[in-house]
mmCIF file of all heavy atoms in Angstrom:
data_model
loop_
_atom_site.group_PDB
_atom_site.id
_atom_site.type_symbol
_atom_site.label_atom_id
_atom_site.label_comp_id
_atom_site.label_asym_id
_atom_site.label_seq_id
_atom_site.Cartn_x
_atom_site.Cartn_y
_atom_site.Cartn_z
ATOM 1 N N PRO A 1 -7.425 16.205 -13.300
ATOM 2 C CA PRO A 1 -7.180 15.170 -12.215
ATOM 3 C C PRO A 1 -6.649 15.832 -10.954
ATOM 4 O O PRO A 1 -5.920 16.795 -11.061
ATOM 5 C CB PRO A 1 -6.204 14.163 -12.834
ATOM 6 C CG PRO A 1 -5.575 14.902 -13.971
ATOM 7 C CD PRO A 1 -6.458 15.988 -14.436
ATOM 8 N N ARG A 2 -7.134 15.382 -9.863
ATOM 9 C CA ARG A 2 -6.669 15.910 -8.625
ATOM 10 C C ARG A 2 -5.457 15.108 -8.150
ATOM 11 O O ARG A 2 -5.515 14.004 -7.653
ATOM 12 C CB ARG A 2 -7.757 15.753 -7.634
ATOM 13 C CG ARG A 2 -8.954 16.585 -8.136
ATOM 14 C CD ARG A 2 -9.994 16.523 -7.066
ATOM 15 N NE ARG A 2 -11.158 17.292 -7.619
ATOM 16 C CZ ARG A 2 -11.765 18.266 -6.986
ATOM 17 N NH1 ARG A 2 -11.309 18.696 -5.857
ATOM 18 N NH2 ARG A 2 -12.777 18.871 -7.536
ATOM 19 N N ARG A 3 -4.303 15.683 -8.248
ATOM 20 C CA ARG A 3 -3.054 15.075 -7.918
ATOM 21 C C ARG A 3 -3.003 14.507 -6.457
ATOM 22 O O ARG A 3 -2.530 13.465 -6.169
ATOM 23 C CB ARG A 3 -1.837 15.945 -8.263
ATOM 24 C CG ARG A 3 -1.701 16.013 -9.716
ATOM 25 C CD ARG A 3 -0.261 16.753 -10.050
ATOM 26 N NE ARG A 3 -0.253 16.823 -11.460
ATOM 27 C CZ ARG A 3 0.093 17.940 -12.083
ATOM 28 N NH1 ARG A 3 0.320 19.004 -11.392
ATOM 29 N NH2 ARG A 3 0.186 17.865 -13.432
ATOM 30 N N PRO A 4 -3.412 15.271 -5.460
ATOM 31 C CA PRO A 4 -3.394 14.783 -4.109
ATOM 32 C C PRO A 4 -4.237 13.509 -3.889
ATOM 33 O O PRO A 4 -3.735 12.543 -3.280
ATOM 34 C CB PRO A 4 -3.891 15.925 -3.215
ATOM 35 C CG PRO A 4 -3.614 17.145 -4.081
ATOM 36 C CD PRO A 4 -3.823 16.719 -5.457
ATOM 37 N N VAL A 5 -5.418 13.442 -4.594
ATOM 38 C CA VAL A 5 -6.172 12.272 -4.449
ATOM 39 C C VAL A 5 -5.503 11.057 -5.116
ATOM 40 O O VAL A 5 -5.499 10.016 -4.570
ATOM 41 C CB VAL A 5 -7.568 12.515 -5.092
ATOM 42 C CG1 VAL A 5 -8.402 11.241 -5.100
ATOM 43 C CG2 VAL A 5 -8.359 13.620 -4.250
ATOM 44 N N ILE A 6 -4.995 11.297 -6.272
ATOM 45 C CA ILE A 6 -4.315 10.175 -6.944
ATOM 46 C C ILE A 6 -3.073 9.700 -6.206
ATOM 47 O O ILE A 6 -2.817 8.541 -6.053
ATOM 48 C CB ILE A 6 -3.872 10.622 -8.384
ATOM 49 C CG1 ILE A 6 -5.032 10.895 -9.262
ATOM 50 C CG2 ILE A 6 -2.990 9.633 -9.091
ATOM 51 C CD1 ILE A 6 -4.816 11.571 -10.536
ATOM 52 N N PHE A 7 -2.295 10.676 -5.643
ATOM 53 C CA PHE A 7 -1.115 10.337 -4.881
ATOM 54 C C PHE A 7 -1.577 9.436 -3.591
ATOM 55 O O PHE A 7 -0.946 8.493 -3.388
ATOM 56 C CB PHE A 7 -0.450 11.603 -4.309
ATOM 57 C CG PHE A 7 0.742 11.331 -3.364
ATOM 58 C CD1 PHE A 7 1.884 10.866 -3.792
ATOM 59 C CD2 PHE A 7 0.474 11.576 -2.044
ATOM 60 C CE1 PHE A 7 2.876 10.487 -2.847
ATOM 61 C CE2 PHE A 7 1.411 11.222 -1.111
ATOM 62 C CZ PHE A 7 2.654 10.793 -1.502
ATOM 63 N N LEU A 8 -2.614 9.967 -2.996
ATOM 64 C CA LEU A 8 -3.036 9.166 -1.718
ATOM 65 C C LEU A 8 -3.506 7.843 -2.179
ATOM 66 O O LEU A 8 -3.131 6.848 -1.421
ATOM 67 C CB LEU A 8 -4.181 9.962 -1.002
ATOM 68 C CG LEU A 8 -3.723 11.234 -0.260
ATOM 69 C CD1 LEU A 8 -4.882 11.995 0.292
ATOM 70 C CD2 LEU A 8 -2.695 10.883 0.864
ATOM 71 N N PHE A 9 -4.203 7.690 -3.177
ATOM 72 C CA PHE A 9 -4.613 6.384 -3.581
ATOM 73 C C PHE A 9 -3.499 5.442 -3.886
ATOM 74 O O PHE A 9 -3.412 4.315 -3.437
ATOM 75 C CB PHE A 9 -5.508 6.528 -4.938
ATOM 76 C CG PHE A 9 -5.972 5.221 -5.444
ATOM 77 C CD1 PHE A 9 -7.021 4.389 -4.884
ATOM 78 C CD2 PHE A 9 -5.295 4.629 -6.540
ATOM 79 C CE1 PHE A 9 -7.339 3.146 -5.404
ATOM 80 C CE2 PHE A 9 -5.679 3.443 -7.079
ATOM 81 C CZ PHE A 9 -6.659 2.686 -6.461
ATOM 82 N N CYS A 10 -2.510 5.985 -4.623
ATOM 83 C CA CYS A 10 -1.351 5.209 -4.923
ATOM 84 C C CYS A 10 -0.526 4.842 -3.675
ATOM 85 O O CYS A 10 -0.095 3.697 -3.521
ATOM 86 C CB CYS A 10 -0.400 6.003 -5.953
ATOM 87 S SG CYS A 10 -1.149 6.103 -7.497
ATOM 88 N N PHE A 11 -0.356 5.781 -2.722
ATOM 89 C CA PHE A 11 0.286 5.564 -1.496
ATOM 90 C C PHE A 11 -0.315 4.414 -0.702
ATOM 91 O O PHE A 11 0.352 3.534 -0.243
ATOM 92 C CB PHE A 11 0.467 6.885 -0.736
ATOM 93 C CG PHE A 11 1.035 6.698 0.719
ATOM 94 C CD1 PHE A 11 2.393 6.554 0.759
ATOM 95 C CD2 PHE A 11 0.212 6.621 1.814
ATOM 96 C CE1 PHE A 11 2.970 6.308 2.061
ATOM 97 C CE2 PHE A 11 0.819 6.381 3.038
ATOM 98 C CZ PHE A 11 2.137 6.269 3.189
ATOM 99 N N PHE A 12 -1.675 4.552 -0.531
ATOM 100 C CA PHE A 12 -2.382 3.575 0.304
ATOM 101 C C PHE A 12 -2.415 2.231 -0.419
ATOM 102 O O PHE A 12 -2.369 1.173 0.255
ATOM 103 C CB PHE A 12 -3.698 4.024 0.749
ATOM 104 C CG PHE A 12 -3.673 5.018 1.788
ATOM 105 C CD1 PHE A 12 -4.123 6.406 1.530
ATOM 106 C CD2 PHE A 12 -3.135 4.754 3.008
ATOM 107 C CE1 PHE A 12 -3.993 7.384 2.473
ATOM 108 C CE2 PHE A 12 -3.139 5.719 4.048
ATOM 109 C CZ PHE A 12 -3.575 7.068 3.807
ATOM 110 N N SER A 13 -2.458 2.211 -1.680
ATOM 111 C CA SER A 13 -2.409 0.896 -2.464
ATOM 112 C C SER A 13 -1.037 0.233 -2.209
ATOM 113 O O SER A 13 -0.953 -0.965 -1.925
ATOM 114 C CB SER A 13 -2.736 1.153 -3.910
ATOM 115 O OG SER A 13 -3.926 1.635 -4.083
ATOM 116 N N LEU A 14 0.041 0.989 -2.410
ATOM 117 C CA LEU A 14 1.367 0.487 -2.104
ATOM 118 C C LEU A 14 1.520 0.006 -0.718
ATOM 119 O O LEU A 14 2.052 -1.083 -0.427
ATOM 120 C CB LEU A 14 2.439 1.430 -2.493
ATOM 121 C CG LEU A 14 3.910 1.082 -2.354
ATOM 122 C CD1 LEU A 14 4.195 -0.147 -3.177
ATOM 123 C CD2 LEU A 14 4.768 2.198 -2.664
ATOM 124 N N PHE A 15 1.011 0.843 0.202
ATOM 125 C CA PHE A 15 1.223 0.556 1.655
ATOM 126 C C PHE A 15 0.421 -0.859 1.953
ATOM 127 O O PHE A 15 0.965 -1.625 2.622
ATOM 128 C CB PHE A 15 0.625 1.678 2.492
ATOM 129 C CG PHE A 15 0.593 1.336 3.995
ATOM 130 C CD1 PHE A 15 1.790 1.522 4.716
ATOM 131 C CD2 PHE A 15 -0.553 0.885 4.644
ATOM 132 C CE1 PHE A 15 1.907 1.219 6.065
ATOM 133 C CE2 PHE A 15 -0.464 0.621 5.969
ATOM 134 C CZ PHE A 15 0.759 0.821 6.762
ATOM 135 N N THR A 16 -0.692 -0.980 1.366
ATOM 136 C CA THR A 16 -1.447 -2.156 1.634
ATOM 137 C C THR A 16 -0.755 -3.431 1.056
ATOM 138 O O THR A 16 -0.698 -4.440 1.708
ATOM 139 C CB THR A 16 -2.859 -2.062 0.979
ATOM 140 O OG1 THR A 16 -3.577 -1.007 1.470
ATOM 141 C CG2 THR A 16 -3.694 -3.350 1.064
ATOM 142 N N ILE A 17 -0.174 -3.296 -0.082
ATOM 143 C CA ILE A 17 0.580 -4.368 -0.747
ATOM 144 C C ILE A 17 1.781 -4.819 0.134
ATOM 145 O O ILE A 17 2.064 -5.893 0.520
ATOM 146 C CB ILE A 17 0.974 -4.078 -2.155
ATOM 147 C CG1 ILE A 17 -0.225 -4.006 -3.092
ATOM 148 C CG2 ILE A 17 2.086 -5.096 -2.718
ATOM 149 C CD1 ILE A 17 0.057 -3.366 -4.442
ATOM 150 N N LEU A 18 2.599 -3.806 0.561
ATOM 151 C CA LEU A 18 3.746 -4.002 1.385
ATOM 152 C C LEU A 18 3.318 -4.577 2.697
ATOM 153 O O LEU A 18 4.031 -5.443 3.286
ATOM 154 C CB LEU A 18 4.520 -2.663 1.543
ATOM 155 C CG LEU A 18 5.199 -2.245 0.257
ATOM 156 C CD1 LEU A 18 5.830 -0.818 0.530
ATOM 157 C CD2 LEU A 18 6.201 -3.202 -0.261
ATOM 158 N N PHE A 19 2.312 -4.034 3.348
ATOM 159 C CA PHE A 19 1.830 -4.467 4.689
ATOM 160 C C PHE A 19 1.410 -5.922 4.585
ATOM 161 O O PHE A 19 1.782 -6.737 5.465
ATOM 162 C CB PHE A 19 0.624 -3.507 5.202
ATOM 163 C CG PHE A 19 0.123 -3.905 6.461
ATOM 164 C CD1 PHE A 19 0.919 -3.649 7.661
ATOM 165 C CD2 PHE A 19 -1.071 -4.655 6.608
ATOM 166 C CE1 PHE A 19 0.369 -4.043 8.916
ATOM 167 C CE2 PHE A 19 -1.531 -5.008 7.836
ATOM 168 C CZ PHE A 19 -0.816 -4.695 8.985
ATOM 169 N N ALA A 20 0.676 -6.314 3.549
ATOM 170 C CA ALA A 20 0.229 -7.705 3.410
ATOM 171 C C ALA A 20 1.450 -8.567 3.317
ATOM 172 O O ALA A 20 1.382 -9.664 3.940
ATOM 173 C CB ALA A 20 -0.695 -7.856 2.261
ATOM 174 N N ASP A 21 2.371 -8.210 2.650
ATOM 175 C CA ASP A 21 3.636 -9.049 2.451
ATOM 176 C C ASP A 21 4.388 -9.183 3.692
ATOM 177 O O ASP A 21 4.905 -10.204 4.075
ATOM 178 C CB ASP A 21 4.482 -8.379 1.305
ATOM 179 C CG ASP A 21 5.683 -9.384 0.975
ATOM 180 O OD1 ASP A 21 5.356 -10.518 0.699
ATOM 181 O OD2 ASP A 21 6.823 -8.935 1.059
ATOM 182 N N ASP A 22 4.313 -8.089 4.517
ATOM 183 C CA ASP A 22 5.010 -8.124 5.869
ATOM 184 C C ASP A 22 4.340 -9.161 6.768
ATOM 185 O O ASP A 22 5.054 -9.664 7.660
ATOM 186 C CB ASP A 22 4.921 -6.761 6.507
ATOM 187 C CG ASP A 22 5.752 -6.690 7.725
ATOM 188 O OD1 ASP A 22 6.990 -7.096 7.727
ATOM 189 O OD2 ASP A 22 5.354 -6.075 8.770
ATOM 190 N N TRP A 23 3.047 -9.461 6.583
ATOM 191 C CA TRP A 23 2.518 -10.415 7.486
ATOM 192 C C TRP A 23 2.395 -11.897 6.792
ATOM 193 O O TRP A 23 1.777 -12.698 7.356
ATOM 194 C CB TRP A 23 1.134 -9.966 7.797
ATOM 195 C CG TRP A 23 1.159 -8.924 8.918
ATOM 196 C CD1 TRP A 23 1.098 -7.533 8.848
ATOM 197 C CD2 TRP A 23 1.402 -9.245 10.368
ATOM 198 N NE1 TRP A 23 1.202 -7.024 10.029
ATOM 199 C CE2 TRP A 23 1.495 -8.007 10.976
ATOM 200 C CE3 TRP A 23 1.615 -10.418 11.015
ATOM 201 C CZ2 TRP A 23 1.719 -7.868 12.333
ATOM 202 C CZ3 TRP A 23 1.825 -10.311 12.404
ATOM 203 C CH2 TRP A 23 1.901 -9.082 13.029
ATOM 204 N N LYS A 24 3.135 -12.040 5.693
ATOM 205 C CA LYS A 24 3.178 -13.394 5.262
ATOM 206 C C LYS A 24 4.001 -14.344 6.230
ATOM 207 O O LYS A 24 4.946 -13.758 6.771
ATOM 208 C CB LYS A 24 3.901 -13.531 3.920
ATOM 209 C CG LYS A 24 2.946 -13.181 2.706
ATOM 210 C CD LYS A 24 3.655 -13.301 1.343
ATOM 211 C CE LYS A 24 2.725 -12.993 0.317
ATOM 212 N NZ LYS A 24 3.414 -13.281 -1.081
ATOM 213 N N THR A 25 3.546 -15.487 6.427
ATOM 214 C CA THR A 25 4.307 -16.404 7.284
ATOM 215 C C THR A 25 5.580 -16.828 6.562
ATOM 216 O O THR A 25 5.751 -16.651 5.321
ATOM 217 C CB THR A 25 3.490 -17.658 7.570
ATOM 218 O OG1 THR A 25 3.208 -18.404 6.410
ATOM 219 C CG2 THR A 25 2.165 -17.335 8.242
ATOM 220 N N PHE A 26 6.485 -17.306 7.309
ATOM 221 C CA PHE A 26 7.764 -17.875 6.695
ATOM 222 C C PHE A 26 7.479 -18.899 5.661
ATOM 223 O O PHE A 26 8.056 -18.930 4.539
ATOM 224 C CB PHE A 26 8.625 -18.488 7.856
ATOM 225 C CG PHE A 26 9.986 -18.924 7.386
ATOM 226 C CD1 PHE A 26 11.053 -18.146 7.431
ATOM 227 C CD2 PHE A 26 10.169 -20.241 6.967
ATOM 228 C CE1 PHE A 26 12.310 -18.497 6.973
ATOM 229 C CE2 PHE A 26 11.402 -20.689 6.423
ATOM 230 C CZ PHE A 26 12.451 -19.826 6.491
ATOM 231 N N TYR A 27 6.468 -19.714 5.954
ATOM 232 C CA TYR A 27 6.101 -20.826 5.033
ATOM 233 C C TYR A 27 5.545 -20.223 3.734
ATOM 234 O O TYR A 27 5.941 -20.696 2.677
ATOM 235 C CB TYR A 27 5.005 -21.683 5.718
ATOM 236 C CG TYR A 27 4.497 -22.860 4.960
ATOM 237 C CD1 TYR A 27 5.350 -23.902 4.598
ATOM 238 C CD2 TYR A 27 3.159 -22.901 4.566
ATOM 239 C CE1 TYR A 27 4.933 -25.009 3.845
ATOM 240 C CE2 TYR A 27 2.691 -24.041 3.832
ATOM 241 C CZ TYR A 27 3.549 -24.984 3.500
ATOM 242 O OH TYR A 27 3.075 -26.035 2.860
#
């Protein structure tokens, strides 16, 4: 397995989840 590829995939997946939560409305 290519560790850098796996790391980048995990990093961007986590970033996407956190970013989406950051844009949730107060409601």
Side-chain angles (χ1 to χ4, degrees):
R2 298 180 185 238
R3 287 190 180 130
V5 172
I6 293 170
F7 171 77
L8 287 174
F9 175 77
C10 293
F11 174 78
F12 285 114
S13 296
L14 180 62
F15 179 78
T16 301
I17 291 167
L18 293 174
F19 179 75
D21 190 53
D22 188 45
W23 280 103
K24 281 187 175 181
T25 64
F26 184 93
Y27 182 63

